Every structure is written in structure tokens, then in C-alpha cells.
């Protein structure tokens, strides 16, 4: 059964790049969100069992999405994919419940390594 995967990023180019980086043969059903508000709505609709989340977005940023996931007790597995590679950003997202932090632009091998590391594929 396909895993509902949400790619939440305000950049269409970034969403496409993440999609191209997904491991071959990984059974996922991809949904896209162009901002955090669309993202949390998709999670509420059951389309974000796994979430690849950007931090800097309009409407709701990635931190706010993580806070909403926690407050609403969703079981989403969140991997943050962001260009904000400051240690404070990484520490903050992990404290808010993200599983991992990958720097943007995403590296296909790094994504596969993280997914294998956590038994997600």
C-alpha cells in the first residue's frame, strides 16, 4: 500500500526537484502543498503520513506546521528539507518533532540514506 507523502514547499522548482530525488520503486502517493496552510490541511485530510517540509514559506512557515502537527497530535513523519542550514534551525525543528533535517538542494543519495537509516523504505 502506497505511503501518503506530502511535499510542502512554496517553490514549484523545489517540489519538482524533491520528486525527482525520490528513490526508484518507493511506493508513495505524492501530494503537493505550496505553503504551510495547504500543508496542514493536506495532513488533516490524511495525505501526509510522511512529510517533506520546507521552513520558509508564506501563510504558515515550516516551524508553524510542525507546531500544528504536534498540537493536533498527527502521526506524520516529518523530514525538513531547507536551505536554512544554521545549527539553531536544525535543533529547533528536531525539538518540534521533525525526524531529520536535510539541506537544500536535496541530494538523492542523502535522501535515500536517511530513509534507509530510519527504516522508511
Amino acid at each position: 500500500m502506497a505511503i501518503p507523502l506530502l511535499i510542502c514547499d512554496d517553490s514549484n522548482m523545489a517540489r519538482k526537484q524533491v520528486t525527482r530525488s525520490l528513490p526508484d520503486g518507493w511506493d508513495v502517493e505524492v501530494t503537493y502543498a505550496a505553503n504551510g496552510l495547504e500543508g496542514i490541511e493536506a495532513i488533516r485530510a490524511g495525505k501526509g503520513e510522511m512529510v517533506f517540509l520546507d521552513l520558509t514559506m508564506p501563510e504558515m512557515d515550516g516551524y508553524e506546521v510542525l507546531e500544528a502537527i504536534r498540537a493536533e497530535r498527527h502521526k506524520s513523519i516529518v523530514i525538513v528539507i531547507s536551505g536554512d542550514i544554521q545549527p539553531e534551525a536544525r535543533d529547533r525543528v528536531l525539538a518540534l518533532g521533525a525526524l531529520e533535517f536535510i539541506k537544500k538542494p536535496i541530494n538523492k543519495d542523502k535522501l535515500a540514506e536517511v530513509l534507509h537509516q530510519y527504516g522508511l523504505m
Side-chain angles (χ1 to χ4, degrees):
M1 185 171 192
I3 299 167
L5 171 66
L6 174 64
I7 298 174
C8 186
D9 195 305
D10 61 315
S11 165
N12 185 48
M13 186 171 72
R15 290 191 304 269
K16 287 179 181 179
Q17 203 259 333
V18 170
T19 303
R20 285 191 305 270
S21 299
L22 297 177
D24 296 331
W26 193 31
D27 192 13
V28 292
E29 183 177 321
V30 180
T31 299
Y32 300 100
N35 60 58
L37 189 56
E38 287 179 13
I40 198 66
E41 289 171 357
I43 291 167
R44 289 174 182 147
K47 297 179 179 182
E49 189 174 305
M50 174 165 274
V51 180
F52 293 159
L53 180 66
D54 186 26
L55 290 179
T56 307
M57 297 180 291
E59 306 292 326
M60 260 179 113
D61 67 21
Y63 298 109
E64 292 169 312
V65 172
L66 285 166
E67 289 167 355
I69 289 170
R70 176 185 273 180
E72 296 176 19
R73 298 184 177 183
H74 296 288
K75 302 291 185 205
S76 301
I77 297 169
V78 181
I79 295 176
V80 170
I81 301 172
S82 178
D84 183 356
I85 57 170
Q86 298 175 46
E88 298 81 17
R90 184 178 197 285
D91 293 346
R92 183 174 174 198
V93 300
L94 295 178
L96 286 170
L99 182 66
E100 190 57 81
F101 186 107
I102 300 174
K103 73 180 179 107
K104 211 189 251 185
I106 193 166
N107 175 294
K108 184 175 183 145
D109 294 333
K110 176 64 177 174
L111 177 60
E113 175 187 315
V114 167
L115 294 172
H116 282 293
Q117 176 183 348
Y118 291 102
L120 299 172
M121 61 166 289

